[in-house]
Amino acid sequence: MMNADTELNHARRLHVATWLALVAIYLIVAICMASSQFSFVVESGLLASVETAAAFAAVGYVISRWSWGLRPAFVLLALAQLNILFLCGTPLSYIAASAALPLQDHSLARLDELLGLDWPGYYRYFVSQPELLRYVPMFYAMIGWLGLGVPLLLGLTKNPLRLQQFTLACVIAVFVTALVSALFPAVGTYQHYGLPPETADFRATGYLVQLDRLPFVRDGSLRALNVTQLGGIVTFPSFHAAAAALALWGCWSVWWSRPIAIVTNGGMLVVTPLVGGHYFIDVIAGIVVAVLATAAATSLRLPSMDRRGAMFGLRQRTEPA
């Protein structure tokens, strides 16, 4: 088991590795956009997101100069990194979808059938239960816990290493999800099964965004990206499922948060096929992505950095924690 200084220093090195991973994703996005017709729509929401990330990073670096501020600095810098991940990761999924490889809906549905999973039956059950449908949007929206709740929880409970492992795992999961979605694109279940995504009591909001935008990304009509209004267009693997697994793993180190994490993230897994129009195999694949991402983040061992590493913030600890 690591002592406090060793844990903080390992977290600091993972923090630097996370920045490097984000830079790599940014360069990939920049190169792809420069060599294609994609462009960013610069508007107030995008500027506000950039300014927020910059503010979190700046304050985090400043307070990391003092021993009392090192752990809060991890929280602020993790929030900055996750904000930047959103700004880079969402466009990456659109660029990936523009490859327009053959749709795999029939293959994904067939995999569900081989596993004995009945998506139309699942849909009909929920639609017949209006008292359950009222909770569906709430659980689907729990993905917001990933970018704010988990960092705050781990920061307030003094888990800087777990926090930085979680942040790096999110970066890895976003990149892998975008890459795999390019190779196995799909529209989703509602179109495949010929079922309505809107009823008197329910609206599959996640799926409808995808249905509205994915065809235009694939045929080249949609190339101007307004990052703050893009919405998800990935079917396989489900990032909502990956987010639920990542959040659950992040919260698991805090024993009293486990029941809450199980209910909220378990609920998100249950409703993701319904709201996002995901096949069950999408959810399984998303969980696998999260498991592999956390395994990579927790197994990564980096060499110690000299004082030049201070340019990335989170200076080397020399005093007791």
Side-chain angles (χ1 to χ4, degrees):
M1 185 175 180
M2 297 183 185
N3 61 38
D5 277 346
T6 302
E7 180 176 308
L8 281 169
N9 291 332
H10 183 46
R12 185 183 69 90
R13 294 192 291 272
L14 286 178
H15 165 78
V16 175
T18 303
W19 278 126
L20 294 176
L22 287 170
V23 169
I25 292 177
Y26 173 80
L27 290 175
I28 291 171
V29 171
I31 292 170
C32 289
M33 295 189 73
S35 59
S36 68
Q37 296 179 333
F38 279 102
S39 62
F40 280 124
V41 176
V42 179
E43 42 77 49
S44 59
L46 174 61
L47 295 176
S49 295
V50 172
E51 291 168 357
T52 299
F56 283 151
V59 175
Y61 286 147
V62 169
I63 66 174
S64 71
R65 295 166 59 89
W66 294 276
S67 58
W68 61 263
L70 193 54
R71 288 189 175 91
F74 272 107
V75 177
L76 291 171
L77 289 165
L79 291 174
Q81 289 175 331
L82 291 171
N83 202 324
I84 292 172
L85 176 61
F86 165 73
L87 295 176
C88 295
T90 307
L92 183 62
S93 68
Y94 278 67
I95 293 169
S98 70
L101 295 180
L103 294 172
Q104 300 296 318
D105 287 88
H106 286 282
S107 298
L108 297 174
R110 179 58 180 159
L111 286 172
D112 274 6
E113 292 173 8
L114 291 174
L115 293 171
L117 300 171
D118 178 13
W119 197 94
Y122 156 88
Y123 168 83
R124 285 190 290 268
Y125 172 77
F126 268 97
V127 171
S128 67
Q129 304 290 329
E131 66 278 8
L132 291 179
L133 286 176
R134 72 180 66 177
Y135 299 106
V136 167
M138 177 189 72
F139 279 111
Y140 193 71
M142 287 297 164
I143 194 171
W145 179 249
L146 187 77
L148 181 61
V150 177
L152 289 175
L153 172 69
L154 295 177
L156 292 173
T157 55
K158 299 181 180 179
N159 284 283
L161 179 56
R162 186 78 156 199
L163 171 57
Q164 199 56 58
Q165 290 170 336
F166 164 80
T167 306
L168 180 56
C170 287
V171 175
I172 296 170
V174 166
F175 180 77
V176 172
T177 297
L179 178 63
V180 174
S181 71
L183 301 175
F184 303 96
V187 176
T189 53
Y190 289 95
Q191 178 171 293
H192 178 75
Y193 291 113
L195 294 170
E198 295 184 80
T199 69
D201 301 304
F202 166 71
R203 190 169 186 265
T205 53
Y207 171 80
L208 290 171
V209 169
Q210 176 166 301
L211 185 64
D212 177 64
R213 296 173 189 176
L214 182 60
F216 298 110
V217 176
R218 288 173 59 84
D219 69 15
S221 302
L222 198 166
R223 289 294 182 267
L225 303 180
N226 187 333
V227 177
T228 59
Q229 298 180 18
L230 285 180
I233 59 170
V234 172
T235 297
F236 178 90
S238 166
F239 186 71
H240 252 80
L246 287 167
L248 182 59
W249 176 82
C251 295
W252 204 255
S253 60
V254 182
W255 66 268
W256 53 262
S257 72
R258 292 176 185 175
I260 300 172
I262 290 172
V263 171
T264 55
N265 294 293
M268 183 159 63
L269 286 173
V270 170
V271 306
T272 287
L274 186 68
V275 184
H278 287 285
Y279 302 92
F280 291 113
I281 193 65
D282 302 341
V283 174
I284 295 170
I287 294 172
V288 170
V289 168
V291 170
L292 294 176
T294 54
T298 55
S299 62
L300 185 62
R301 293 294 179 265
L302 300 168
S304 297
M305 299 178 63
D306 59 24
R307 290 184 181 275
R308 287 174 294 180
M311 66 179 291
F312 295 98
L314 297 175
R315 62 187 177 83
Q316 182 81 21
R317 280 294 303 265
T318 55
E319 68 273 13

